[in-house]
Amino acid sequence: MDASPEAQPVERPRNAAATRSRLLEAAAELFAERGYERTTVRAIAERAGANQALLFRYFGSKHGLLTEVVAQGGLEQLHATAPEDLFETALRSMLTRSAPGADRSLEVYLRSVGRGDEATATLRELGGEYRKALAGLTSAQDGALRADLAMAWLLGIGLMRTVSAREPLASADPERVCRLVMTTLERFWTLPAPPRPPDADDGPDGQAPPR
């Protein structure tokens, strides 16, 4: 007798971990290529060679899958990387996204955040964690601003290379890009903050509030 449409597929325990891993990998790839909103559960399951019902069993929802992709990719890398190495590690992952094991969470961020979908809060948390770690690299009063500028540069490189495919950056050698960027960034964290007018009041990040 055929199984009813509501029946859940039974998977042997020894295969469950492998299927779960394939679903995570497929989701990370598709979220990075298409963005969260344009990626369907069906597409993830098809790329992973798994049944959609298994995706819901393991992750609960597409958003639950995104949360784990971000946790195992960006947040795991962030927590395992020394703050002083974080920017370069993230940059290299973005430049060599086709390499096995490359973290693609920042590409997911680029294609998905700020579009009003359910992924936004999860991805903003990722961006906030990166900014917090980078801000700790300087003792300057404007550390939060510097962290935002560093993130803007990192994401801008990703936007031009992976989303817009703008030449010559799109096909530039990753080592050359890293060397140019990191050489410029070396002084960024220690450069003295420019003097501010004596009547400027401090804002929440040590910046003068907007007039």
Side-chain angles (χ1 to χ4, degrees):
M1 180 181 295
D2 293 337
S4 66
E6 294 80 13
Q8 296 288 312
V10 176
E11 189 177 23
R12 296 179 180 179
R14 66 173 178 270
N15 294 329
T19 301
R20 196 175 189 281
S21 178
R22 291 200 310 274
L23 286 166
L24 279 170
E25 183 178 353
E29 291 173 354
L30 287 168
F31 290 154
E33 293 167 8
R34 305 177 185 179
Y36 176 83
E37 199 170 38
R38 295 178 59 195
T39 298
T40 64
V41 168
R42 173 178 293 180
I44 295 170
E46 287 178 353
R47 182 167 294 195
N51 191 293
Q52 292 181 54
L54 292 175
L55 184 153
F56 290 109
R57 175 189 293 179
Y58 295 143
F59 304 102
S61 64
K62 187 173 78 165
H63 185 260
L65 182 53
L66 170 71
T67 300
E68 189 140 355
V69 166
V70 170
Q72 288 200 354
L75 292 177
E76 186 175 278
Q77 175 175 276
L78 190 153
H79 296 147
T81 306
E84 60 270 22
D85 297 328
L86 183 60
F87 187 100
E88 183 174 0
T89 300
L91 177 62
R92 287 184 180 279
S93 289
M94 191 172 287
L95 294 172
T96 58
R97 62 192 186 280
S98 60
D103 171 39
R104 302 189 69 180
S105 56
L106 288 180
E107 285 182 75
V108 178
Y109 184 101
L110 276 173
R111 292 185 186 270
S112 305
V113 76
R115 300 189 180 182
D117 58 39
E118 63 177 340
T120 298
T122 297
L123 294 170
R124 280 182 177 166
E125 179 186 357
L126 174 66
E129 290 291 326
Y130 266 89
R131 284 192 294 270
K132 181 179 177 181
L134 292 173
L137 294 176
T138 179
S139 58
Q141 192 177 34
D142 60 352
L145 173 61
R146 297 188 192 211
D148 267 351
L149 290 170
M151 282 293 294
W153 195 9
L154 177 65
L155 294 172
I157 292 170
L159 179 67
M160 291 183 66
R161 183 176 173 97
T162 67
V163 178
S164 301
R166 177 78 174 268
E167 295 292 355
L169 180 57
S171 58
D173 175 53
E175 288 300 323
R176 185 179 183 190
V177 174
C178 280
R179 184 167 61 253
L180 289 169
V181 171
M182 296 310 299
T183 299
T184 306
L185 199 68
E186 280 180 6
R187 292 190 61 235
F188 182 69
W189 305 114
T190 57
L191 193 69
R196 303 203 329 273
D199 61 339
D201 295 324
D202 285 347
D205 295 323
Q207 302 301 303
R211 300 279 184 189

